[in-house]
Amino acid sequence: MSLQPGDALTSHNFGLQIDGVMVEYLAEVSGLSIEQDVIEYQQVSAQGKPVTKKMPGVKKAGTCTVVRGMTQSPAFNESVNGAMGTARKNATIMVMDYQNNPVKRYNMRNAWCSKIDTSTVKAGEASALTETVTITFEELVIE
């Protein structure tokens, strides 16, 4: 069942690629945004009236938060272990349709993990353990 014109994407099927290799399917993604400075300047029109203009400035770096099931995957360990020389990677959060075809990509350049939070561990609990990972990136491009 592929998307028809006008169909909205669903939020249940997405994953994370690091350097082009699918490494994780994620439970949740938040805070994924692009922001840039706004440059405001004054000029005088041909009629001699003051006019305020705005134009885009420098894009800002950002962070996003992903939640994944806790596994043995070392996908985020380099930066938290201090290996920053190899920690910066190009990462992509991919949103997929019902047939697992990539529909939208959020490409993060020079991304690395700045924080890992583990879910509450409780004796006798039958729920899956999760990790909340904060990813810092220098540039975000949406395809």
Side-chain angles (χ1 to χ4, degrees):
M1 178 178 184
S2 63
L3 291 173
Q4 299 299 313
D7 283 352
L9 294 173
T10 60
S11 63
H12 75 281
N13 198 7
F14 50 97
L16 176 71
Q17 283 185 334
I18 296 178
D19 287 338
V21 177
M22 180 65 83
V23 294
E24 301 284 340
Y25 284 92
L26 304 170
E28 185 178 331
V29 177
S30 62
L32 200 53
S33 64
I34 295 176
E35 185 178 357
Q36 67 187 58
D37 291 329
V38 176
I39 300 169
E40 186 173 303
Y41 63 97
Q42 305 281 327
Q43 68 182 35
V44 178
S45 70
Q47 293 78 30
K49 296 185 179 182
V51 178
T52 301
K53 297 278 191 166
K54 292 186 179 185
M55 58 187 276
V58 177
K59 286 185 181 179
K60 296 182 179 182
T63 61
C64 73
T65 303
V66 300
V67 178
R68 68 180 189 150
M70 186 180 291
T71 65
Q72 295 291 326
S73 171
F76 300 108
N77 292 351
E78 289 176 315
S79 61
V80 293
N81 290 333
M84 289 307 296
T86 57
R88 287 181 176 85
K89 308 276 187 195
N90 292 326
T92 301
I93 294 177
M94 293 185 351
V95 179
M96 293 169 275
D97 65 11
Y98 294 105
Q99 297 174 330
N100 286 334
N101 297 314
V103 179
K104 194 160 193 160
R105 296 174 189 267
Y106 295 87
N107 299 314
M108 298 173 284
R109 185 179 58 81
N110 286 337
W112 53 278
C113 168
S114 63
K115 181 179 179 182
I116 298 176
D117 281 326
T118 315
S119 64
T120 303
V121 180
K122 188 174 180 182
E125 187 71 28
S127 61
L129 290 176
T130 60
E131 289 180 327
T132 302
V133 179
T134 302
I135 299 173
T136 299
F137 54 87
E138 293 176 8
E139 180 182 29
L140 179 65
V141 177
I142 301 174
E143 292 179 5

